[in-house]
Amino acid sequence: SQQGEEDPQALSIQEGENATMNCSYKTSINNLQWYRQNSGRGLVHLILIRSNEREKHSGRLRVTLDTSKKSSSLLITASRAADTASYFCATEGTSGTYKYIFGTGTRLKVLA
Amino acid sequence: NAGVTQTPKFQVLKTGQSMTLQCAQDMNHNSMYWYRQDPGMGLRLIYYSASEGTTDKGEVPNGYNVSRLNKREFSLRLESAAPSQTSVYFCASSDLATNEKLFFGSGTQLSVL
């Protein structure tokens, strides 16, 4: 079974609006990462947050992590049509195996 | 730099045929990974290699074998392809000592008839 589950599975918003997607995971983690995938291409790394961090920013991206709830959220502010993609969270467990497990993804569509 | 290069990009096999998917990275990364992506399932880890000379099973290793040929190359072999192995396969690499993020190849679309 997969470690992460993203919510919602699909999201459609207007350009300029904010997009929020959530990731829940099952076991303790070292860090959590978010990736973007355009049209079936390879994934591109967006941001990494460590288990001892609660919030992190990168440009229009804001990531939060709540280890007590085993959940993370990705906020994209002032969305653009170019943000249309699938977004995945990935977790690395505390065992130090370097084994990255991905969630099922959120498909975001930004309408111009 | 090319990053992570996968070959072939597309492949059609008949049930029972064998093939090897190739992956090479030119970033001097220690760790390499093979994932498969099916509709609605996200990415699932097949095998990974934390460093040259080591390989470990991921979430869905059955039906696959891997070889970490050297630091640059990590191949995935299907000995007897089955229709359930129809998927898009992604190779990734990472330098866990410095930045931990994964760099992905562009994928191999495999169909098993």
Side-chain angles (χ1 to χ4, degrees):
Chain A
S1 62
Q2 299 203 231
Q3 163 78 310
E5 295 284 338
E6 278 90 340
D7 170 57
Q9 289 187 338
L11 179 62
S12 186
I13 60 173
Q14 296 291 325
E15 205 166 30
E17 293 181 336
N18 295 341
T20 299
M21 51 205 86
N22 304 295
C23 168
S24 59
Y25 56 91
K26 299 174 184 174
T27 63
S28 297
I29 60 170
N30 277 335
N31 66 66
L32 185 145
Q33 303 183 41
W34 285 90
Y35 287 80
R36 184 185 73 224
Q37 183 181 38
N38 291 91
S39 303
R41 297 185 180 180
L43 280 71
V44 175
H45 180 267
L46 294 176
I47 195 166
L48 179 152
I49 187 166
R50 300 194 183 281
S51 59
N52 61 354
E53 297 175 310
R54 291 297 168 258
E55 187 171 314
K56 204 161 183 180
H57 297 255
S58 177
R60 294 185 295 112
L61 305 179
R62 172 178 169 253
V63 170
T64 61
L65 179 64
D66 187 336
T67 53
S68 66
K69 294 181 179 179
K70 292 186 170 57
S71 68
S72 173
S73 67
L74 171 68
L75 168 67
I76 304 173
T77 60
S79 62
R80 305 165 181 168
D83 295 327
T84 294
S86 291
Y87 293 82
F88 296 88
C89 66
T91 54
E92 189 227 351
T94 54
S95 61
T97 60
Y98 311 117
K99 189 174 166 181
Y100 284 88
I101 305 297
F102 282 77
T104 51
T106 291
R107 294 188 310 279
L108 173 66
K109 187 169 186 178
V110 181
L111 304 170
Chain B
N1 286 344
V4 179
T5 303
Q6 290 183 236
T7 55
K9 292 192 184 303
F10 301 95
Q11 184 70 49
V12 178
L13 294 177
K14 294 181 180 177
T15 297
Q17 287 185 319
S18 62
M19 80 159 295
T20 299
L21 280 63
Q22 307 287 352
C23 175
Q25 52 91 9
D26 61 4
M27 296 173 282
N28 202 36
H29 287 169
N30 287 315
S31 300
M32 297 186 73
Y33 305 80
W34 276 105
Y35 289 90
R36 61 177 287 173
Q37 184 174 31
D38 303 299
M41 295 293 291
L43 277 79
R44 290 184 290 171
L45 180 63
I46 305 172
Y47 272 94
Y48 66 105
S49 171
S51 61
E52 186 179 356
T54 68
T55 60
D56 286 285
K57 295 178 180 179
E59 303 169 273
V60 288
N62 291 345
Y64 304 95
N65 285 303
V66 290
S67 295
R68 184 72 184 267
L69 303 170
N70 46 55
K71 193 171 186 179
R72 289 186 63 247
E73 298 172 288
F74 189 39
S75 63
L76 178 72
R77 183 161 177 83
L78 287 69
E79 291 290 353
S80 179
S84 61
Q85 293 178 307
T86 293
S87 188
V88 180
Y89 292 84
F90 289 99
C91 177
S93 71
S94 178
D95 184 352
L96 298 170
T98 56
N99 59 25
E100 296 171 279
K101 64 183 182 181
L102 299 176
F103 292 81
F104 281 83
S106 57
T108 296
Q109 191 166 325
L110 176 67
S111 295
V112 183
L113 306 178

